[in-house]
Amino acid sequence: MAVSSKRVSLTLEEQIGFSAGEIYNYLHTNGTTTFAKMKKELDLKGNFADLGLGWLARENKVDIQQKGPAVKVSLK
């Protein structure tokens, strides 16, 4: 039986939702972290880390605080 290598194309909204899920899971596992560290470790392409975090903020699922030059992010 042949395995299909059909490429699945996600809509922009689906890509942002996927990024939000990656961020949520990261914060659930790692706790409070800086946005810069999380963004680097998740290696989300383009500005999807920013968009995903915005999605979670809009849904009131994250707490975002400025701590000096760093932005700290945690789940609510």
Side-chain angles (χ1 to χ4, degrees):
M1 182 171 166
V3 176
S4 174
S5 63
K6 183 178 179 182
R7 189 175 185 136
V8 176
S9 182
L10 299 177
T11 67
L12 183 59
E13 188 172 272
E14 289 170 332
Q15 291 173 358
I16 296 168
F18 176 79
S19 298
E22 291 288 304
I23 292 168
Y24 186 92
N25 291 334
Y26 179 90
L27 293 172
H28 180 73
T29 301
N30 298 289
T32 301
T33 189
T34 65
F35 181 64
K37 178 181 178 186
M38 179 184 67
K39 188 174 180 177
K40 181 179 179 182
E41 290 186 5
L42 286 176
D43 193 31
L44 296 171
K45 304 299 178 214
N47 58 352
F48 284 105
D50 304 314
L51 294 167
L53 184 62
W55 181 303
L56 292 172
R58 179 75 173 145
E59 291 186 344
N60 201 31
K61 296 193 186 265
V62 290
D63 184 39
I64 305 169
Q65 295 187 0
Q66 183 81 36
K67 297 285 187 182
V71 175
K72 294 274 189 169
V73 183
S74 61
L75 292 179
K76 286 194 171 187

